[in-house]
Amino acid sequence: MTTRTGVYPGTFDPITLGHMDVIRRGATLVDRLVVGVTTNASKSPMFTTEERIAMVTREVAGIDGVEVVSFDSLLVDFAQGLGASMIIRGVRGVTDFEYEYQLTGMNRALNPRIETVFLMAAVELQPIASKLVKEIALYGGDIAKFVPPRVRDEVAARVAQSARKDS
C-alpha cells in the first residue's frame, strides 16, 4: 500500500489557531502530513527555527500522522524529497488567494507531479495572521483568541524579553 504524503509549509512564527485548523483538516486528506517549517527572508522572525519547530511539534502532538520538519530549499524539491504528492496551503481570503495562485503556478512549472490543495480557513479564524498576532502582542494586546495557550505565553515572554533589551 502506498502512503499518501502531503506537505503543509510555513514559517509558523508563531503557530496560530488558523494554522492548527489547516493542520487538523489537512491531516484527514493524507496518510502522512509533514508540516514544513521554513524561514522567509522577507519576514523578521520572532522565534528561531528551532523554537518554531519545538512549538509546532508540541501543538500537533495529538494529531495522528503529522510530523514536523524544517527545510531551507525550494518547496517542490522539499516535497519531492519526502515523496509528497500534495502541497496543502491555507487561504484566508482574496489577497491570500492571489499570492497562492501565483505560487501554485510556479510550483507546477517546477514539478507538475505535485498538486496544490487550498483549504479555506474556518470563518472565525480567517482574520488571523502571524504578523498581526506579533504586532498585537508587541503593543500589549491580548492574543489569546488567536493562538494556543502555551504559544500565547511564549509570545508574551519574547515580547517582555525584547522590551528588557530595548530599555
Side-chain angles (χ1 to χ4, degrees):
M1 184 170 126
T2 304
T3 299
R4 188 174 179 126
T5 299
V7 173
Y8 177 45
T11 54
F12 306 104
D13 184 50
I15 189 167
T16 68
L17 296 177
H19 293 132
M20 291 301 299
D21 178 55
V22 171
I23 291 168
R24 279 188 202 91
R25 291 169 43 222
T28 67
L29 301 176
V30 293
D31 303 307
R32 173 181 173 227
L33 179 62
V34 178
V35 178
V37 178
T38 191
T39 300
N40 184 333
S42 68
K43 296 181 181 179
S44 301
M46 178 178 272
F47 296 96
T48 67
T49 301
E50 294 75 22
E51 289 169 329
R52 288 181 281 127
I53 290 169
M55 189 182 294
V56 175
T57 300
R58 180 191 67 232
E59 296 302 327
V60 303
I63 307 171
D64 289 338
V66 176
E67 60 188 81
V68 181
V69 177
S70 69
F71 75 101
D72 187 20
S73 64
L74 287 173
L75 175 56
V76 291
D77 292 345
F78 174 64
Q80 182 175 350
L82 294 168
S85 59
M86 181 186 308
I87 295 169
I88 295 173
R89 301 294 292 172
V91 181
R92 293 172 297 204
V94 174
T95 305
D96 277 358
F97 181 77
E98 289 177 11
Y99 174 73
E100 294 296 339
Y101 180 80
Q102 186 176 19
L103 274 181
T104 298
M106 296 299 286
N107 286 337
R108 176 164 270 167
L110 292 168
N111 189 332
R113 293 180 306 279
I114 299 176
E115 202 55 63
T116 299
V117 174
F118 297 115
L119 293 180
M120 294 299 297
V123 172
E124 67 276 12
L125 302 174
Q126 285 181 4
I128 302 173
S130 293
K131 178 181 177 182
L132 296 176
V133 167
K134 289 186 285 190
E135 191 171 324
I136 291 166
L138 286 169
Y139 285 102
D142 183 9
I143 61 170
K145 292 186 261 185
F146 312 123
V147 296
R150 290 193 51 196
V151 173
R152 179 197 64 221
D153 295 343
E154 289 167 323
V155 171
R158 186 56 48 95
V159 168
Q161 179 184 32
S162 178
R164 284 192 300 273
K165 284 182 185 176
D166 292 343
S167 57

